[in-house]
Amino acid sequence: MNWLKYRFLYFFISLAVLLPGIYSLWRFGLNPSVEFTGGSLLEISLESPSPDQIKDLLSPTYSIHSLDHDSSTITLKLDPLTQSQADQIVSDLKTLDSQAKLISFTSVGPSVGGQLLTKALTAILIAALATLLYIAYSFRNLTFGFFAIIAMLHDTLILLGSYSLLGHFFGFQTDLLIVTAILTTLSFSVHDTIVVFDRIRELKNKTTSSLYALSNRAITETITRSLNNSLTIIFMLLSLALLGGDSIKHFTIALLIGAITGTYSSTFTAVPLLVTWDTIRRK
């Protein structure tokens, strides 16, 4: 099948997904959690009071950055607090609901949050550089490694852009679990890309056909395996996103986005870019 006949359509689909996310990153940015900005996060079991009542009670004393509320719990994001201050907040809330109970309390100072952000970005850069060097060495061709990295950046930007949109419209926060999801996405993306690239390399050693023809054949021979592997992961993550608890929901959604984009980019971004570059280079 001539998959690469439609490669400009694949590029258009990628741009249609990338551009809203890039605009959102530029316009709204991400919604970082207290792990990166510094502050305290309190999860409190509380049923009867409304968010407005809680704000009216606490605002004169504490700086509330956000307040999320569902049927049985509230999540408060505030400036850094001590344990005694957290306990005092729970005591204050008991004037509204005598059953108020502290479920979890996390406090991170601004300097620690900055260090975590630096370490997270460093981890992502090291992962990308190590992947580039490994693929360049394995394939004895820097071009393969370069376009594998481009596919990884494609997936990372889609994930970050999606989280920027989800953070702006639905309050999703970017925390260390999302960094873990990004690193997992990088691994997932490059794994599938290597499968296709490795098939192209094997075919190059057997025939003298053009890279365009070899790539079409490699995609045909690997896409079923790639889809079968990916769909088992995607279905599992989809189940967790729909039925799992709130504590892992955002992390699961990030992994789900990464799994879908990683599957797509390996076949429909990395290989078409490689073939397009080869076509331009030969003119």
Side-chain angles (χ1 to χ4, degrees), residues 133-270:
L133 294 175
Y134 173 73
I135 295 178
Y137 173 77
S138 298
F139 288 86
R140 304 294 191 273
N141 188 332
L142 194 61
T143 306
F144 282 80
F146 176 75
F147 286 111
I149 294 296
I150 294 294
M152 286 170 49
L153 292 176
H154 166 277
D155 300 339
T156 305
L157 273 176
I158 287 178
L159 179 54
L160 290 174
S162 301
Y163 247 75
S164 174
L165 289 167
L166 290 170
H168 179 70
F169 290 107
F170 300 104
F172 279 37
Q173 291 193 334
T174 303
D175 55 18
L176 285 177
L177 281 177
I178 304 307
V179 176
T180 306
I182 291 173
L183 291 172
T184 306
T185 298
L186 298 183
S187 169
F188 191 84
S189 172
V190 78
H191 173 268
D192 263 9
T193 304
I194 285 177
V195 170
V196 186
F197 280 0
D198 192 51
R199 190 63 186 142
I200 294 172
R201 181 181 61 173
E202 289 176 2
L203 293 172
K204 281 181 72 175
N205 293 332
K206 294 177 181 177
T207 70
T208 57
S209 301
S210 67
L211 182 63
Y212 184 97
L214 294 177
S215 298
N216 269 320
R217 185 176 166 186
I219 291 174
T220 301
E221 293 178 358
T222 58
I223 193 168
T224 302
R225 172 190 167 189
S226 176
L227 283 176
N228 286 339
N229 286 340
S230 299
L231 286 175
T232 56
I233 297 171
I234 288 170
F235 288 146
M236 181 271 291
L237 291 172
L238 187 60
S239 299
L240 283 174
L242 294 174
L243 305 174
D246 288 342
S247 60
I248 62 168
K249 189 171 186 177
H250 293 180
F251 175 55
T252 307
I253 290 174
L255 286 176
L256 183 61
I257 295 170
I260 294 172
T261 58
T263 303
Y264 176 83
S265 70
S266 299
T267 302
F268 300 111
T269 301

